[in-house]
Amino acid sequence: LPYTMSTAPKAVVFHTSTSSTELDCNDDDIVLITHSKSGANCVLQKFGAHVLSYQTAAGKPLIMLSKDAIMDGSAAIRGGIPLCFPQFGQPDKSYLQHGFLRRNKWTVVEGSEFDTDDAAGIKLELELKDVTVARGDGTWGNDTKLNCKCILTVSIDDKSMTNTLEMQNSGTDAFDFQVLLHTYYLVAMGKALDHELCNVKEFEGYMVDDKVSGETYTLGSDPVTIPDVIIDRVYTPPDGTIDLNLTIAAGVDNLVELTANGDVDGTKVPVSGVVWNPHKIKAEAMGDFGSDQYNDMICVEPGLLSNVPQLKGGKTATFTQVMTSI
């Protein structure tokens, strides 16, 4: 594969396995994490606390960013890892789809940067008082009694990246919420529609809610693949299954192990998963997405989506995903 590593750390984001862009490391909104011992690196944008790329020590990029992503803060960034909270989709119409984390600028937690033999990383934070966009005029509007603070920790080593979102109810009133990491995996060599080279395994027994066909069913042993139309499916775990453990085939010579877990005030909550790819027609209709880039990505998105306990005042919920190149 045509992956290369430079001896000098650079903020490189990947659109396909053969197309990339180097961002300006002097831009105050760009955060470059480099694990000195291994050479693995990760690029974040403070707007949305948005992971734009992760490249292993072997030089393999795991994350895809749209070549037409809007990067000026006027819209959510297409690709990377958008953070969805306090809702996924728009079950509450009083504020925007996927919530407000991805639409506001976060702050680096002072002194949080680290680079050890084991890993390198950083923390970013966002308080509700600093949320200026996407709060709406209802549940989370400016006159709400609700309050929250979110902290994202990103940690990388030679072959894995860990993303942990901590959600603190800093008010007194409890609130309902969902949380999801809308991860865009880069499919090597544009093989997203090749069922042998691009698929997701270990969803067997999950209840499927197909948002395109309207069908619901229990998944058998076959891996999840991208059909000849848009795929937008929610996978809800069966009783007794709490954490999410998947294997993602993302193109030529590119296998990723994904694990995810979450809790509300220390109580573990079952993790759901979403698989999405816009396919040709929807890709062509999106102004911030290359019309052929559906060949280069698959979204596999872990989240706490159903039967999530309310987050009570003064309490904390956490959600973590770990992706590992195998």
Side-chain angles (χ1 to χ4, degrees):
L1 292 178
Y3 305 136
T4 58
M5 285 290 288
S6 169
T7 54
K10 295 180 180 180
V12 178
V13 296
F14 295 87
H15 313 302
T16 72
S17 52
T18 58
S19 171
S20 62
T21 300
E22 183 177 344
L23 304 181
D24 184 2
C25 284
N26 294 316
D27 184 339
D28 183 59
D29 289 334
I30 299 298
V31 178
L32 173 62
I33 302 170
T34 301
H35 184 222
S36 297
K37 178 161 185 173
S38 70
N41 68 81
C42 172
V43 182
L44 296 95
Q45 161 71 270
K46 291 180 184 177
F47 179 75
H50 203 112
V51 173
L52 303 177
S53 76
Y54 165 63
Q55 194 174 15
T56 69
K60 182 178 292 187
L62 299 190
I63 300 296
M64 175 266 198
L65 182 71
S66 169
K67 66 183 180 65
D68 296 322
I70 298 169
M71 302 291 287
D72 62 3
S74 63
I77 297 170
R78 178 74 66 182
I81 308 181
L83 304 177
C84 302
F85 171 88
Q87 67 180 351
F88 171 64
Q90 200 179 17
D92 184 339
K93 304 299 183 185
S94 73
Y95 64 108
L96 290 189
Q97 173 176 293
H98 297 340
F100 45 74
L101 297 192
R102 66 188 187 132
R103 296 293 305 274
N104 288 271
K105 186 174 179 178
W106 294 49
T107 302
V108 172
V109 176
E110 186 175 355
S112 68
E113 302 96 329
F114 67 93
D115 183 8
T116 68
D117 283 354
D118 292 333
I122 199 168
K123 295 178 185 284
L124 295 92
E125 63 183 1
L126 178 69
E127 296 188 53
L128 187 63
K129 67 180 178 62
D130 298 318
V131 173
T132 59
V133 177
R135 288 181 61 167
D137 57 5
T139 306
W140 290 95
N142 290 328
D143 58 351
T144 186
K145 294 181 180 179
L146 303 179
N147 202 1
C148 69
K149 176 182 178 179
C150 292
I151 301 172
L152 177 72
T153 303
V154 178
S155 174
I156 63 170
D157 60 25
D158 60 336
K159 60 180 181 180
S160 69
M161 174 169 62
T162 301
N163 313 110
T164 297
L165 184 62
E166 179 180 321
M167 300 146 280
Q168 303 173 357
N169 184 338
S170 44
T172 56
D173 291 1
F175 59 77
D176 295 310
F177 76 97
Q178 296 171 308
V179 58
L180 177 137
L181 304 184
H182 200 309
T183 309
Y184 287 67
Y185 287 93
L186 177 64
V187 177
M189 308 308 293
K191 297 294 187 178
L193 303 189
D194 185 320
H195 294 181
E196 294 296 321
L197 293 174
C198 182
N199 56 68
V200 183
K201 295 179 180 178
E202 315 300 339
F203 269 134
E204 183 176 358
Y206 281 62
M207 177 59 67
V208 184
D209 182 2
D210 191 320
K211 300 297 184 181
V212 178
S213 70
E215 295 178 301
T216 58
Y217 55 93
T218 300
L219 188 67
S221 59
D222 291 341
V224 177
T225 57
I226 299 172
D228 292 331
V229 294
I230 179 175
I231 180 172
D232 186 2
R233 299 175 188 161
V234 179
Y235 296 82
T236 302
D239 291 344
T241 299
I242 306 297
D243 296 348
L244 187 67
N245 297 279
L246 303 175
T247 301
I248 303 165
V252 178
D253 191 29
N254 192 25
L255 277 178
V256 178
E257 179 182 80
L258 170 64
T259 64
N261 63 83
D263 72 87
V264 177
D265 190 24
T267 299
K268 297 269 284 185
V269 179
V271 179
S272 298
V274 176
V275 177
W276 181 79
N277 179 295
H279 219 282
K280 180 178 176 61
I281 294 177
K282 187 169 179 65
E284 291 177 343
M286 294 191 295
D288 60 352
F289 192 80
S291 60
D292 59 350
Q293 279 196 283
Y294 63 92
N295 291 294
D296 301 299
M297 52 74 64
I298 183 170
C299 281
V300 183
E301 314 159 25
L304 306 182
L305 301 182
S306 57
N307 300 314
V308 183
Q310 282 193 321
L311 187 57
K312 296 179 179 179
K315 302 301 183 180
T316 298
T318 61
F319 187 73
T320 296
Q321 77 167 4
V322 182
M323 65 181 71
T324 303
S325 179
I326 58 176

